[in-house]
Amino acid sequence: MKEITFHPMTQKEFNKYIKFSWANYIEQQIIAGLSKEEAKLQANRAEMDLIPNGFSTENNYFYNIKKNGKLLGYLWLWFNSENHNLFLPEVYIKETYRGKGIGELAIKFYEEKAKELNAKKLKLHVFGHNTNAQVLYKKLGFTPTNIVMEKVVK
């Protein structure tokens, strides 16, 4: 049986992926408390900051996560050439494949890519409601650097 592999996306795969990615990001922002309009604005700002030239934007790496030719998820990495940090804008594992160690393999691949790029640090953002991911990241040696909290005024 073949191992889980990380395949660089083609332009066509990226076009499909990025629509999904921003829709998912908006959904996660809404769960986190933003209105739909605020979430869309946030996604638009993030897109302009991270990938102003889409697939052709320098220092961005997009991967399909596969096993036996079947798509299990996606991985997006961005290398900040100013501070030499490798940021993880997204790791997404399809729901059917969660809890099977694929996320951990994706993070290990991320670490290997960081070494290849001579990155100084790995950085990522995780939504407060994504407790499974937080547990995984802590298990793999990530530590929180700042926490934003809120309370609705009643």
Side-chain angles (χ1 to χ4, degrees):
M1 182 154 60
K2 290 184 181 177
E3 297 293 316
I4 290 172
T5 56
F6 298 84
H7 297 273
M9 288 183 193
T10 64
Q11 174 77 58
K12 185 177 179 182
E13 291 168 333
F14 169 82
N15 292 344
K16 182 178 177 184
Y17 158 72
I18 205 66
K19 288 178 188 170
F20 165 81
S21 179
W22 291 125
N24 183 55
Y25 181 78
I26 290 166
E27 181 182 325
Q28 297 304 309
Q29 289 285 10
I30 291 168
I31 292 169
L34 292 184
S35 71
K36 189 173 185 177
E37 295 73 28
E38 291 170 321
K40 285 180 179 180
L41 284 172
Q42 180 68 23
N44 288 338
R45 281 193 297 270
E47 185 170 14
M48 291 312 300
D49 287 346
L50 293 173
I51 51 169
N53 299 314
F55 185 69
S56 301
T57 304
E58 276 188 283
N59 298 320
N60 280 270
Y61 305 89
F62 303 96
Y63 299 93
N64 288 316
I65 304 170
K66 293 184 173 186
K67 184 174 184 179
N68 298 326
K70 186 174 281 198
L71 183 65
L72 310 179
Y74 310 104
L75 182 68
W76 172 9
L77 307 176
W78 169 62
F79 182 69
N80 184 328
S81 57
E82 292 177 18
N83 61 22
H84 297 274
N85 293 330
L86 187 60
F87 188 74
L88 175 68
E90 181 169 51
V91 59
Y92 179 85
I93 308 301
K94 290 182 174 187
E95 201 164 330
T96 316
Y97 304 109
R98 292 180 189 166
K100 300 179 188 316
I102 299 164
E104 186 168 344
L105 289 173
I107 298 304
K108 289 180 179 176
F109 178 85
Y110 168 38
E111 290 179 15
E112 288 304 311
K113 187 69 175 176
K115 290 174 187 173
E116 179 186 313
L117 295 169
N118 293 315
K120 292 181 181 177
K121 291 183 182 179
L122 301 173
K123 298 266 191 168
L124 57 83
H125 166 269
V126 61
F127 284 101
H129 60 268
N130 193 346
T131 54
N132 289 340
Q134 291 175 43
V135 169
L136 174 63
Y137 299 146
K138 286 178 185 175
K139 173 185 160 190
L140 296 175
F142 288 82
T143 56
T145 56
N146 61 48
I147 298 172
V148 177
M149 301 175 78
E150 68 178 27
K151 179 179 179 180
V152 175
V153 177
K154 295 180 183 182

